[in-house]
Amino acid sequence: MTVLIADDHPVVRAGLRGMLDTEDDLRVVGEAADADDAVAMALELKPMVVLMDLRMPGGGGVAATARLAGLRPQCRVLVLTTYGSDDLILSAVEAGATGYLLKHAGLADLLAAIRSAARGETVLTPSVAARLTRRARNPRKSALSAREAEVLRLVARGLTNAAIGAELFIGEATVKTHMLRIFGKLEVDDRTAAVMTAVSRGMITVDD
C-alpha cells in the first residue's frame, strides 16, 4: 500500500516515514511540505493513501483534499492533524476525505486507519464520529451573505482587494472586512483556501 505524507513539519514527516517503513505492507512514496506539492505529487506518484495535515502553506489541507477529490478520486485522503474542531472535521469530510485522525492517536490506530483507507473504507475515530454527529444535530449557521459570496467569486477570478472594491463600488477597507468575515466563517487562513472550501461546500460556483 503506497502512502504520500503531506505535512509542513519535517520532524513530523520523518517520524511518520520511520514508523511506516517498518511495516512490510506499507511503502512511503513521497513527502510534501505544502498543499500544492501534495496535490502535484499525488497526481504524479499515484499513492493509494495521502496522509494530509490541514494547516499547511499553499491553501491548506482541506483545499488540497477537495482538489484531489476532483482530479484523482481513487486516491484516498486520510487527514492526520492536531486540529479537531467540528468545522474543520466537517470541512475535510465534505471536501472528500476518507478519514480523519488526530495526531495523538496511537501507532496501531494510525496503521489500521491507513490500511482501512487504502481499502476505501471510511475511517473516523469514535471522538471524531461523535463530533460529526453532534454537528449534524446542531448545525451552526455559517452561510456566506450575498455580498460575501460576490466578493469571493471575484477573488476566484484573481482580482485584488482594490480591484474588487472598484468592481463593487465599495472601499478597499470594506473588502478586507468582508474577507476577514469569510475567513472566520470558513475557518481558513488564506484566499485560495476560502475559494476552494466555498466551492467544495457549494456556496459559490466558479466559471472555468
Side-chain angles (χ1 to χ4, degrees):
M1 301 178 189
T2 52
V3 181
L4 172 67
I5 300 171
D7 195 292
D8 61 333
H9 293 96
V11 173
V12 173
R13 295 198 306 272
L16 287 170
R17 177 183 279 274
M19 289 187 290
L20 300 185
D21 280 347
T22 64
E23 302 297 314
D24 293 336
D25 61 335
L26 300 177
R27 180 166 60 92
V28 177
V29 295
E31 299 177 17
D34 62 50
D36 289 334
D37 281 348
V39 174
M41 294 180 70
L43 296 179
E44 176 187 355
L45 301 174
K46 299 178 174 56
M48 297 176 68
V49 178
V50 176
L51 285 180
M52 185 78 74
D53 190 19
L54 290 184
R55 301 287 188 176
M56 292 189 295
V62 171
T65 298
R67 290 163 64 189
L68 280 177
L71 296 171
R72 186 170 172 76
Q74 63 269 47
C75 179
R76 311 297 181 179
V77 175
L78 176 60
V79 171
L80 182 63
T81 184
T82 56
Y83 302 96
S85 74
D86 294 356
D87 280 336
L88 279 175
I89 295 170
L90 187 62
S91 295
V93 172
E94 287 179 342
T98 297
Y100 197 109
L101 203 64
L102 297 179
K103 285 183 177 176
H104 63 244
L107 176 58
D109 289 336
L110 173 61
L111 297 175
I114 293 172
R115 293 175 176 125
S116 295
R119 293 191 296 266
E121 301 170 3
T122 299
V123 181
L124 296 174
T125 61
S127 62
V128 169
R131 287 172 181 269
L132 286 176
T133 300
R134 182 172 65 250
R135 175 62 183 267
R137 290 174 177 170
N138 301 287
R140 192 169 70 191
K141 294 182 179 179
S142 58
L144 300 179
S145 69
R147 176 62 89 182
E148 289 165 351
E150 193 173 19
V151 167
L152 199 52
R153 279 191 290 270
L154 294 176
V155 170
R157 285 170 45 190
L159 274 66
T160 64
N161 286 349
I164 292 171
E167 180 85 7
L168 300 179
F169 303 101
I170 58 178
E172 186 174 356
T174 302
V175 176
K176 290 179 180 179
T177 299
H178 284 308
M179 290 306 303
L180 288 174
R181 289 174 179 167
I182 291 168
F183 288 176
K185 287 183 177 182
L186 301 182
E187 289 200 345
V188 297
D189 298 318
D190 59 61
R191 297 159 78 90
T192 301
V195 171
M196 295 301 298
T197 301
V199 169
S200 71
R201 294 184 186 181
M203 293 177 167
I204 64 169
T205 56
V206 179
D207 296 331
D208 293 334

